[in-house]
Amino acid sequence: MIQMSLKTSRVALAASLAAVLVAADGLASDSTTDWPQWRGPNRNDISTETGLLKSWPDDGPKRVWLFRDAGIGYSGPAVVDGTVYTMGGRGRTEHVIAIGDKGKELWSAEVGELLSNGWGDGPRGTPTVDGRVLYALGGRGDLVCVSRSKGTVIWRRAMKDFGGRTPGWGYTESLLVDGNLVVCTPGGRKGAIVALDKRTGKRVWQSEKFSDRAQYSSIIAAEHNGVRQYIQLTMESVAGVAAKDGRLLWRAEWPGRTAVIPTPIFHDGHVYVTSGYGVGCKLLKIGKRNAVEEVYFNRVMKNHHGGVVLLDGHIYGYSDGNGWTCQDFKTGDQVWSEKRELGKGCLTYADGRFYCVDERDGTVALVEATTRGYREHGRFRLSPLSDRRSPRGRIWTHPVISGGKLYLRDQELLFCYDVSSGS
């Protein structure tokens, strides 16, 4: 009895310490240069940093370091206080990896079994940093909460716990942390979206009335009509559910084909979505009582997986068939397109420039953010390139800007470049 009591006390103490650790609110740093999650602080691929290079020398910006053991996969970097957090497959296991500001590994933590896939093995999502912990979702649907200081796993769950089935290309979602919730998309009849208590991993609610299969997009949060909501895109739908209890607020049909990947955009009561395989893009107006009105549906933007950025009333990104494209957000009209200068890829915005990556050969271009056409201000090519990438895979990890540094990845190779104007 005494031994049992002591054991119980130790378990209770450990649980209490974990709860205190996870309950830390907000980011560990107030820095405006942190990039704590997928697509940055506001999930829009826009950095607020200034003082960055407006043009690059012929050989590109200076490389600060190269980390060669990030593992197999397409996971992006999250950067907080100069520490980089990403995921990769090592052997038959997926890991979360912390890398210091000198490019040296600090720790790694096991996420789950390696996802095997013909287009490339390993994890796809980006970790989400929240206070003293981070959250990560592996390619097979394993979800972990990990201490940032030592890489200790505090709790773990799996998408199968909530009725989820691994999509054909694996779970690619990057987890949303909102208040006390971790929100993600297991998909399936029990409810497409689930909200977990971020301190314990226990289910708070699941969206029973929204039960589409999981695809590859990541959830965004929005405030509209006085209600906080989570917006997600699937093969069949774009929908909003209440953050409080997961009830379905609105839904519109989406004619997805093969795979639906880009993250939705919410702005001024409107939701913009796009996907590839010839589908196109749609703008919805969410009116009073959550009435849904289609503003337009066209094929100006057919974005496969490189993502799109809304900047000053215009959408920028790569459109299959059209090339790099600028589109009027309100009308859907094409403003300009360019497909000869740079191949298909992904982009991120910072300080008046887009950082665009050609998925085929690792060319990185600095492109002016303007409605007056494609205007390039320098380029370079990643070197070396991974020899471990699947022959069917490409350089699909999106670029990240944080603290005057540009982070790029090709499988196990993680690059850091100095793009500050003081460099």
Side-chain angles (χ1 to χ4, degrees):
M1 290 293 292
I2 294 176
Q3 290 179 339
M4 287 294 292
S5 297
L6 289 173
K7 181 179 180 180
T8 301
S9 297
R10 286 195 296 269
V11 171
L13 178 59
S16 297
L17 290 174
V20 170
L21 186 63
V22 179
D25 291 328
L27 300 176
S29 170
D30 292 329
S31 172
T32 58
T33 67
D34 285 340
W35 194 271
Q37 62 175 333
W38 166 244
R39 288 172 58 87
N42 298 309
R43 292 209 156 196
N44 58 6
D45 255 330
I46 291 178
S47 168
T48 59
E49 285 191 46
T50 57
L52 305 180
L53 289 170
K54 296 298 184 181
S55 61
W56 289 339
D58 291 342
D59 56 352
K62 178 183 176 182
R63 193 176 80 188
V64 179
W65 51 257
L66 169 60
F67 181 69
R68 296 177 179 269
D69 195 22
I72 292 299
Y74 299 101
S75 175
V79 187
V80 174
D81 295 335
T83 299
V84 180
Y85 304 92
T86 191
M87 290 191 288
R90 293 173 169 175
R92 301 303 304 169
T93 307
E94 296 181 353
H95 294 259
V96 179
I97 304 164
I99 303 157
D101 60 4
K102 303 298 183 182
K104 303 297 183 182
E105 182 171 329
L106 303 177
W107 53 257
S108 69
E110 183 175 321
V111 176
E113 184 180 352
L114 181 77
L115 172 77
S116 296
N117 186 268
W119 295 86
D121 298 344
R124 279 89 162 102
T126 298
T128 302
V129 178
D130 180 63
R132 300 177 185 176
V133 301
L134 63 81
Y135 302 86
L137 180 66
R140 289 182 173 271
D142 298 293
L143 192 164
V144 293
C145 171
V146 179
S147 162
R148 283 180 57 205
S149 60
K150 296 182 179 180
T152 304
V153 176
I154 298 169
W155 56 258
R156 62 172 63 243
R157 298 299 302 266
M159 294 300 95
K160 64 182 180 181
D161 298 342
F162 312 107
R165 296 180 62 182
T166 305
W169 283 278
Y171 279 102
T172 71
E173 182 175 18
S174 299
L175 301 164
L176 174 68
V177 178
D178 187 50
N180 291 321
L181 300 178
V182 176
V183 191
C184 56
T185 314
R189 289 179 293 178
K190 291 184 178 180
I193 297 175
V194 67
L196 310 178
D197 186 317
K198 74 176 185 180
R199 298 166 297 180
T200 64
K202 292 182 178 180
R203 178 169 52 190
V204 177
W205 54 255
Q206 198 158 352
S207 62
E208 296 180 4
K209 298 297 183 181
F210 176 48
S211 55
D212 290 0
R213 298 166 294 164
Q215 272 288 294
Y216 308 99
S217 184
S218 294
I219 295 168
I220 61 170
E223 295 278 351
H224 188 59
N225 289 334
V227 177
R228 189 159 184 81
Q229 60 181 269
Y230 302 132
I231 299 170
Q232 179 60 300
L233 177 65
T234 70
M235 187 73 78
E236 300 89 10
S237 314
V238 53
V241 304
K244 181 179 180 180
D245 53 17
R247 73 185 186 279
L248 182 63
L249 299 174
W250 58 269
R251 176 187 176 276
E253 292 185 355
W254 180 252
R257 298 175 190 165
T258 308
V260 171
I261 304 169
T263 302
I265 290 174
F266 176 86
H267 175 69
D268 192 27
H270 292 72
V271 176
Y272 178 97
V273 290
T274 179
S275 66
Y277 301 96
V279 175
C281 59
K282 178 184 284 190
L283 183 68
L284 301 170
K285 180 179 180 181
I286 313 302
K288 294 181 179 179
R289 299 183 180 88
N290 293 311
V292 180
E293 174 187 346
E294 183 178 299
V295 180
Y296 60 79
F297 179 29
N298 64 38
R299 291 178 173 82
V300 169
M301 183 63 73
K302 301 183 292 292
N303 187 264
H304 186 189
H305 47 59
V308 293
V309 174
L310 172 61
L311 181 70
D312 298 331
H314 293 84
I315 294 285
Y316 296 85
Y318 189 92
S319 178
D320 289 343
N322 294 337
W324 294 94
T325 298
C326 173
Q327 178 186 30
D328 189 291
F329 177 74
K330 291 183 178 179
T331 67
D333 295 337
Q334 179 175 299
V335 178
W336 60 256
S337 67
E338 171 57 61
K339 59 182 178 181
R340 293 175 296 179
E341 295 295 330
L342 187 70
K344 178 178 178 177
C346 50
L347 80 168
T348 294
Y349 169 86
D351 199 14
R353 299 287 187 265
F354 289 113
Y355 294 72
C356 304
V357 180
D358 187 324
E359 66 178 31
R360 302 168 304 174
D361 62 4
T363 295
V364 187
L366 188 66
V367 179
E368 187 174 342
T370 177
T371 58
R372 294 173 292 180
Y374 182 95
R375 299 184 176 187
E376 194 172 301
H377 294 269
R379 65 168 55 194
F380 70 97
R381 186 174 294 182
L382 283 179
S383 181
L385 294 179
S386 173
D387 59 8
R388 299 177 62 191
R389 185 177 354 109
S390 165
R392 300 171 72 186
R394 298 291 185 269
I395 301 170
W396 287 328
T397 303
H398 292 207
V400 163
I401 308 293
S402 180
K405 303 296 192 298
L406 167 63
Y407 297 92
L408 300 162
R409 180 176 180 177
D410 180 19
Q411 297 296 308
E412 79 281 9
L413 304 175
L414 180 64
F415 302 78
C416 175
Y417 293 87
D418 188 345
V419 293
S420 65
S421 60
S423 61

